[in-house]
Amino acid sequence: MVGKATISVLILALLLLTTSIFIATVDLRSYLYPILLPRPGGRFPCSTGGGPLMVYMYDLPRRFHVGMLRRRSPADESPVTAENLPPWPSNSGLKKQHSVEYWMMASLLYDGGGGNETREAVRVWDPEMADAFFVPFFSSLSFNTHGHNMTDPDTEFDRQLQIDILKILRESKYWQRSGDFGRYPKEISNLRKDVVAPYVHVVDSFTDDNSPDPYESRTTLLFFRGRTIRKDEGIVRAKLAKLLAGYDDVIYEQSFASGANIKVSTQGMRSSKFCLHPAGDTPSSCRLFDAIVSHCVPVIVSDQIELPYEDEIDYTQFSIFFSDKEALEPGYMIEQLRQIPKERWVEMWRHLKYISHHYEFQYPPKKGDAIDMLWRQVKHKLPRANLDVHRSRRLKVPDWWDHRR
């Protein structure tokens, strides 16, 4: 997604799927993400008050979104509504990671039963009333369905979708006011304007985690899931796998690709006190959010990770952090984990149970779930986005404020 230097844009930057994306994707030039554009003029944004975010959603042909959910979708281009929205396929496996756009689109289609006062975002049909614009293009799913293996003609199909959607957007006068939608170089990403989204978790949520002594019932110290044979999985992860081999209280599992292995991984996380999350091909992945919904205290190894909702959630209350250097010191990380008192671990476990609903993707949406939190993050970005837009309109020289620092 390319934004002009003088115009701020709110981009839904998906945080990292194991096999696909960091902010955009493994190939940062290869596909697009939904964009949330602050309205260039008009009424004051609702984010300055207490009402819901007003979002205008482009009405795109189904091939850009729900048409990707099944290989042989009928040639139906009728508008998608709450009544005919197809459910996310129950047998999608790891593709579920790439479904954030689906849940965002679904949340805007949901009529809310008249209870809009408790929702963070609602759809508006008049673009002039919108605070943000949403482009329902399932770009992550498109890349991982058509372009992940980088073989023609599949890759060409993904590329053509990008070309087609840009052609549609360029015909919109709202697009023409900013032009901020396109291929997205890594250097454009920054937290001043971008929203970090969690991966959709793949393992089942631990809804009945009511053990009277959870510390003792979780007999494994550390659970580690990940592949080390792929060249893009990261040097740190490969070295950690070797360092942790031989510990009786550590379980290492290769990444899953089937429903049966997902169940094994679910049980492994639920029976472990800590779940390791090292950087790999991306600084984050679904395993972090799998750990959260499993109430397994995340052990995060990364020097550069950015986390969802961090202006509202303090991850140090339920996670342990190590730098790459610390984690690769033989024996250091395991010894530190073993020294964590039971009381502290139980406190982190309780906090995980308290916040895990913020990482649930569901339809109908619920107050405080993942999509609700994401729309709230967008609302938080709007004041700064509007500041940048308004300043850019009246500046006669390059922005002196950014250049002075």
Side-chain angles (χ1 to χ4, degrees):
M1 312 262 168
V2 175
K4 294 182 179 177
T6 58
I7 299 180
S8 176
V9 68
L10 292 177
I11 301 176
L12 175 64
L14 295 182
L15 226 202
L16 339 170
L17 313 193
T18 336
T19 59
S20 64
I21 59 172
F22 169 57
I23 302 300
T25 173
V26 168
D27 177 0
L28 291 165
R29 301 160 297 174
S30 64
Y31 66 98
L32 308 171
Y33 272 89
I35 255 188
L36 303 148
L37 301 177
R39 190 184 171 312
R43 68 182 183 85
F44 291 112
C46 71
S47 58
T48 59
L53 185 75
M54 301 298 188
V55 182
Y56 178 83
M57 179 166 63
Y58 284 92
D59 191 10
L60 299 176
R62 289 180 175 233
R63 69 180 183 275
F64 292 109
H65 39 75
V66 297
M68 302 181 200
L69 298 186
R70 293 175 178 83
R71 287 188 177 181
R72 296 181 180 178
S73 297
D76 179 12
E77 290 300 340
S78 61
V80 180
T81 66
E83 288 70 30
N84 63 22
L85 174 70
W88 183 263
S90 59
N91 61 347
S92 60
L94 292 180
K95 281 192 175 181
K96 186 179 179 182
Q97 300 173 99
H98 309 288
S99 64
V100 173
E101 298 105 325
Y102 169 86
W103 303 107
M104 295 196 76
M105 178 182 183
S107 74
L108 294 177
L109 291 173
Y110 180 59
D111 61 15
N116 289 344
E117 68 281 353
T118 63
R119 302 175 65 191
E120 293 293 345
V122 295
R123 186 181 187 182
V124 294
W125 295 95
D126 181 0
E128 297 293 339
M129 295 298 294
D131 300 304
F133 285 69
F134 179 71
V135 180
F137 174 35
F138 293 0
S139 52
S140 177
L141 185 61
S142 175
F143 177 76
N144 282 273
T145 299
H146 306 301
H148 180 63
N149 294 321
M150 305 307 290
T151 57
D152 291 326
D154 287 344
T155 300
E156 176 59 27
F157 187 84
D158 174 57
R159 190 182 75 88
Q160 190 61 48
L161 282 176
Q162 299 177 43
I163 294 172
D164 291 347
I165 197 170
L166 283 173
K167 181 179 179 181
I168 292 172
L169 292 176
R170 285 171 178 147
E171 295 175 354
S172 165
K173 70 176 183 179
Y174 301 98
W175 150 268
Q176 293 168 7
R177 289 178 178 177
S178 63
D180 291 316
F181 192 92
R183 297 181 185 274
Y184 182 31
K186 182 178 180 180
E187 62 269 15
I188 296 297
S189 171
N190 69 76
L191 291 179
R192 186 174 72 176
K193 62 181 177 61
D194 295 338
V195 173
V196 178
Y199 273 81
V200 181
H201 63 84
V202 177
V203 304
D204 295 334
S205 299
F206 201 172
T207 57
D208 57 347
D209 187 9
N210 299 312
S211 171
D213 193 344
Y215 186 86
E216 297 300 333
S217 67
R218 293 177 178 250
T219 55
T220 300
L221 175 70
L222 182 65
F223 181 84
F224 177 23
R225 185 190 77 220
R227 286 181 287 185
T228 58
I229 58 175
R230 279 175 39 185
K231 65 180 181 179
D232 59 350
E233 283 292 303
I235 296 174
V236 171
R237 187 182 306 172
K239 289 183 177 180
L240 277 172
K242 294 180 180 179
L243 286 175
L244 297 175
Y247 285 102
D248 294 337
D249 50 359
V250 174
I251 293 179
Y252 170 69
E253 176 193 318
Q254 288 283 337
S255 288
F256 48 68
S258 67
N261 286 337
I262 289 176
K263 291 182 179 179
V264 171
S265 194
T266 298
Q267 183 56 38
M269 289 187 167
R270 292 183 181 186
S271 61
S272 302
K273 296 178 177 66
F274 300 97
C275 287
L276 186 62
H277 173 66
D281 54 337
T282 62
S284 186
S285 70
C286 72
R287 71 173 59 82
L288 170 59
F289 309 105
D290 287 343
I292 289 174
V293 300
S294 301
H295 308 154
C296 180
V297 174
V299 177
I300 300 173
V301 177
S302 178
D303 294 335
Q304 57 179 351
I305 193 171
E306 298 295 349
L307 297 165
Y309 329 137
E310 203 165 7
D311 62 340
E312 298 189 59
I313 293 178
D314 181 0
Y315 282 78
T316 64
Q317 293 184 330
F318 57 85
S319 305
I320 305 296
F321 291 86
F322 291 97
S323 67
D324 291 348
K325 181 179 179 181
E326 290 172 331
L328 294 177
E329 183 179 334
Y332 176 78
M333 183 170 63
I334 292 295
E335 186 60 29
Q336 291 296 308
L337 294 178
R338 286 174 175 167
Q339 291 181 12
I340 292 176
K342 176 180 179 179
E343 294 75 15
R344 184 186 174 196
W345 183 90
V346 171
E347 184 179 351
M348 288 189 288
W349 170 78
R350 286 176 178 157
H351 205 89
L352 280 168
K353 292 179 64 176
Y354 178 73
I355 56 90
S356 62
H357 68 285
H358 294 317
Y359 302 87
E360 298 292 351
F361 292 81
Q362 56 206 337
Y363 185 82
K366 295 181 179 179
K367 184 68 176 176
D369 68 6
I371 294 301
D372 199 58
M373 292 286 286
L374 281 175
W375 286 126
R376 190 155 77 202
Q377 294 293 298
V378 173
K379 285 178 66 176
H380 293 173
K381 301 291 183 178
L382 275 184
R384 178 57 197 243
N386 280 307
L387 171 63
D388 287 346
V389 169
H390 297 162
R391 290 185 73 252
S392 71
R393 287 177 179 164
R394 52 90 173 167
L395 290 176
K396 301 297 184 181
V397 296
D399 195 332
W400 62 272
W401 182 263
D402 285 340
H403 286 289
R404 65 184 280 272
R405 289 177 289 179

